[in-house]
Amino acid sequence: MTTVTTPSHQQKQGPSVEGGRPQDKHGRRFGLPVATALVMGNIIGGGIFLLPASVAPYGTISLVAFALLTAGAIALALVFGRLARRHPRTGGPYVYAREAFGDFAGFLAAWSYWITTWVSNAALAVAAVGYLDVLVPVHTSTAATIAAALFLQWLPALANLAGTRYVGAVQLVATVLKFVPLLLVAVGGLFFFDSANLGPFQAGDSGAVGAVSASAAILLFSYLGVESAAVSAGEVRDPERNVGRATILGTLGAAVIYLLGTLSVFGTVPHDTLIASGAPFSDAVNTMFGGTWGGTAVACMAVVSMAGALNGWTLLSAQTPYAAAQDGLFPRVFARRKRGVPTAGVLVTVVLASLLTVYNYTAGPGGVFEILVLVTTFTATVPYLLSTAAQIYFLASGRTDRVHRGRLVRDALLAALAAGFSLWLVAGSGYAAVYQGVLFLFAGVLVYAWMSARKERTAR
């Protein structure tokens, strides 16, 4: 663990690093390659492997949404890079919102981001089961499907509990492995591209703007993770430099693979088949090479990729509550660390994700992935909006310790673009997702009231 400077300027020294030397052999700070792998590994998780089928019902107009989403994600990545340079501490959006607007805003950012992480873990597990079914048929039994999803969640949790040293190693290997199927389809699929497979440009009767917004809301799940390096800044070496670099490099790399991969799947798998597909990348490879061996190989790599994403997201799920707990805004148990990892945060998160997974499968498996994705779309926009608002506040207030005057106009434009992008995503989430997300958010207000009262009693 690193030294964390709280907004009250109190120093909290952890057990894993002292004087720049690791004290725990299981804890290790990330360099630029691992930090970039964390960003790319979390962005390119399970979403890309299932999302071509999820957005196919909207037609190829969803590719327009992907392009717009990429521009917004890059703007958001640049904003996070700027903020992390000035506030290189574990917590990311929580730290920025609290520095700008105080405890309540910081808590809302932490609470919303925490919800995003464990709901995302449930969604990733659902996506992973779709590819696991290509290897081991589990879809015929609800119990087998649930067991497979829970196994895929708990295995990365155990890797996290082993220490940050192992988290980084798993993340790097999984990121490298996932590039094989993605590049195979993204590049190789262009040689098998058939425009007859694309289907209608706009399907449904929601109109062009509605179709773009709706598909973008689903596609945002693909870009969740752009803030990964910022959230784990306390575990990154030289965070003032490496967090921003890792954020931008990871987002750009993911964007190129995403756009090419989705276009190739659309052009190799017939539209009617793609809509009903549970493993679109496997279907694309089977179409390219014939037979099923290619699809089976892709399914293996997809499961590894999603396990790696679950590994990274499990780490992030514990980091923001850890930072908030240091400031008395989350229960103190979340501030306990072992081997560089907030163990209580990991355990609570995997339990909640497991319960949500069981609930969604038992309530009816139809559309589980899409429902979970849309909920995380809404909850993710809360810390994103608060972070961009914090950047706008720092720029508009003229605080020289947080603003680079030579970049004022450029930074202001990026912050405005990122804020508009986040608001657009809220609008595209849909009434049901906003309704469920608001319920999660308002439940946090009660938690904040309890934690604030406890903090005030302790301070007397």
Side-chain angles (χ1 to χ4, degrees):
M1 157 183 178
T2 62
T3 301
V4 178
T5 307
T6 65
S8 60
H9 305 292
Q10 294 175 337
Q11 299 294 322
K12 296 186 182 291
Q13 185 71 29
S16 60
V17 174
E18 183 178 3
R21 296 190 303 271
Q23 288 185 304
D24 188 341
K25 66 179 182 180
H26 301 288
R28 180 177 296 176
R29 302 183 78 187
F30 305 145
L32 180 61
V34 173
T36 303
L38 183 66
V39 175
M40 293 192 72
N42 286 352
I43 292 177
I44 307 176
I48 184 59
F49 287 101
L50 195 60
L51 284 175
S54 297
V55 297
Y58 297 103
T60 51
I61 197 173
S62 57
L63 293 174
V64 176
F66 228 141
L68 294 173
L69 192 66
T70 298
I74 291 173
L76 195 60
L78 290 168
V79 169
F80 275 121
R82 293 283 185 269
L83 289 167
R85 188 174 184 86
R86 295 294 181 183
H87 309 280
R89 302 198 303 272
T90 293
Y94 160 75
V95 173
Y96 315 143
R98 186 168 184 256
E99 285 280 354
F101 309 119
D103 283 355
F104 184 60
F107 174 83
L108 286 180
W111 179 262
S112 298
Y113 191 75
W114 183 52
I115 291 171
T116 299
T117 55
W118 58 264
V119 176
S120 293
N121 278 6
L124 276 169
V126 170
V129 168
Y131 279 90
L132 183 64
D133 190 61
V134 176
L135 308 174
V136 181
V138 295
H139 68 281
T140 55
S141 168
T142 300
T145 303
I146 292 174
L150 294 181
F151 174 78
L152 289 166
Q153 288 174 3
W154 279 89
L155 191 62
L158 295 176
N160 270 261
L161 293 174
T164 54
R165 175 180 182 179
Y166 304 102
V167 173
V170 171
Q171 199 65 31
L172 194 58
V173 171
T175 300
V176 172
L177 288 177
K178 75 179 60 180
F179 273 101
V180 176
L182 289 173
L183 288 175
L184 177 64
V185 175
V187 178
L190 297 177
F191 295 96
F192 296 85
F193 191 91
D194 184 352
S195 59
N197 292 326
L198 293 176
F201 177 71
Q202 180 187 333
D205 54 1
S206 59
V209 175
V212 169
S213 295
S215 55
I218 294 176
L219 290 167
L220 172 66
F221 186 76
S222 301
Y223 279 111
L224 292 183
V226 65
E227 72 292 336
S228 299
V231 172
S232 297
E235 276 58 62
V236 178
R237 289 195 298 269
D238 192 9
E240 292 86 352
R241 290 165 54 88
N242 287 335
V243 168
R245 292 178 178 181
T247 300
I248 294 167
L249 289 174
T251 303
L252 286 173
V256 171
I257 293 176
Y258 273 180
L259 289 171
L260 288 178
T262 303
L263 180 62
S264 293
V265 171
F266 274 24
T268 53
V269 180
H271 184 257
D272 292 340
T273 302
L274 182 59
I275 290 176
S277 175
F281 272 72
S282 290
D283 291 341
V285 174
N286 287 339
T287 301
M288 290 162 58
F289 301 108
T292 60
W293 67 268
T296 301
V298 169
C300 288
M301 296 175 188
V303 171
V304 171
S305 171
M306 294 181 202
L310 282 164
N311 177 66
W313 274 108
T314 300
L315 174 65
L316 294 189
S317 68
Q319 297 287 22
T320 299
Y322 164 77
Q326 291 276 356
D327 298 322
L329 297 180
F330 254 60
R332 192 66 186 172
V333 66
F334 285 93
R336 297 175 185 171
R337 294 174 70 115
K338 188 175 182 181
R339 301 186 179 96
V341 175
T343 52
V346 170
L347 289 172
V348 172
T349 294
V350 72
V351 168
L352 288 172
S354 298
L355 292 174
L356 182 60
T357 301
V358 172
Y359 169 77
N360 277 279
Y361 274 122
T362 54
V368 171
F369 181 78
E370 287 78 7
I371 292 170
L372 295 178
V373 164
L374 289 173
V375 170
T376 58
T377 297
F378 173 77
T379 56
T381 56
V382 175
Y384 288 176
L385 275 170
L386 287 171
S387 295
T388 54
Q391 175 73 336
I392 292 172
Y393 167 76
F394 293 142
L395 294 171
S397 64
R399 294 178 62 176
T400 57
D401 60 325
R402 289 174 170 79
V403 177
H404 192 296
R405 292 193 177 277
R407 301 171 180 165
L408 181 60
V409 174
R410 183 177 66 181
D411 287 350
L413 288 174
L414 286 172
L417 179 60
F421 164 72
S422 300
L423 286 171
W424 174 46
L425 292 169
V426 173
S429 298
Y431 293 110
V434 172
Y435 168 74
Q436 295 177 57
V438 167
L439 289 178
F440 278 122
L441 195 62
F442 281 3
V445 175
L446 301 177
V447 176
Y448 175 78
W450 172 60
M451 292 304 304
S452 294
R454 183 178 178 182
K455 183 179 179 181
E456 184 174 340
R457 288 198 309 270
T458 304
R460 288 175 183 173

